Amino acid sequence: MNGTNALYTKAGTLKGAKLVASTTTLKKLAKSKNSEDNFVAYRVATTNKGAVYYKVVSLDKQYRGWIYGGKSTKSFAGGVKSYTTFKNSSVSASDANKNFTFKKTGTTNNGTMLTYKAPMYTAYGAGRVIKSSAAYKNDVLTITKQGTRTREGD
């Protein structure tokens, strides 16, 4: 999202479309430093006048609706802008050869006690690999991939 168009319950030009998020709200979300504010487009529709709309959802699932995306499905335009949510990097030599354990175990879904299919809020529906780390308290872990979340820089 870039905040130039609002988010609606259906294509904004259709009768009965209701505002889900204003351009002001979407501008704030576009500048956010929180990955929960990332959006994913999962459907596309073209009106009979050639306007392209994308169905989008925020990764925290707070916002869901249709946003104007320009006149072509070949590239994003209008209120939609693509960006990378996570940048892979190589595992440092010092970390690649170390063994780790969970510092604190439990069921808290905060990015520190559980393992995930992808870093939190960087991929839609990636979710957790385990729901409790208690059974893995003394297991030895190694780092196989590393990267940085774009918004937070962590």
Side-chain angles (χ1 to χ4, degrees):
M1 304 293 119
N2 59 22
T4 59
N5 293 85
L7 189 64
Y8 293 93
T9 55
K10 52 185 170 180
T13 58
L14 297 177
K15 186 177 179 180
K18 294 183 178 127
L19 184 69
V20 173
S22 68
T23 56
T24 304
T25 299
L26 293 181
K27 281 179 187 172
K28 286 180 191 174
L29 294 173
K31 293 177 183 176
S32 172
K33 296 295 182 193
N34 295 315
S35 290
E36 297 101 40
D37 298 329
N38 289 331
F39 280 77
V40 63
Y42 62 96
R43 283 183 66 190
V44 63
T46 305
T47 67
N48 59 355
K49 293 184 180 178
V52 175
Y53 283 84
Y54 292 95
K55 180 101 183 225
V56 297
V57 62
S58 60
L59 292 185
D60 66 358
K61 299 177 184 164
Q62 184 175 354
Y63 299 97
R64 181 184 305 269
W66 292 88
I67 190 163
Y68 176 71
K71 293 281 187 182
S72 171
T73 59
K74 294 183 192 263
S75 63
F76 291 126
V80 182
K81 179 182 174 187
S82 66
Y83 60 93
T84 304
T85 59
F86 186 77
K87 293 182 182 176
N88 287 308
S89 60
S90 58
V91 179
S92 67
S94 62
D95 285 341
N97 299 318
K98 283 186 181 176
N99 292 325
F100 298 88
T101 58
F102 283 104
K103 185 175 184 177
K104 187 176 179 185
T105 59
T107 58
T108 305
N109 188 21
N110 64 2
T112 64
M113 290 187 191
L114 307 175
T115 59
Y116 302 84
K117 295 175 188 169
M120 288 181 73
Y121 301 114
T122 61
Y124 185 75
R128 297 170 276 189
V129 175
I130 61 171
K131 298 201 189 249
S132 173
S133 57
Y136 306 99
K137 183 177 183 174
N138 297 315
D139 285 7
V140 176
L141 308 170
T142 57
I143 297 175
T144 57
K145 291 185 180 180
Q146 182 174 307
T148 304
R149 288 192 300 176
T150 306
R151 289 193 184 236
E152 288 88 345
D154 60 358

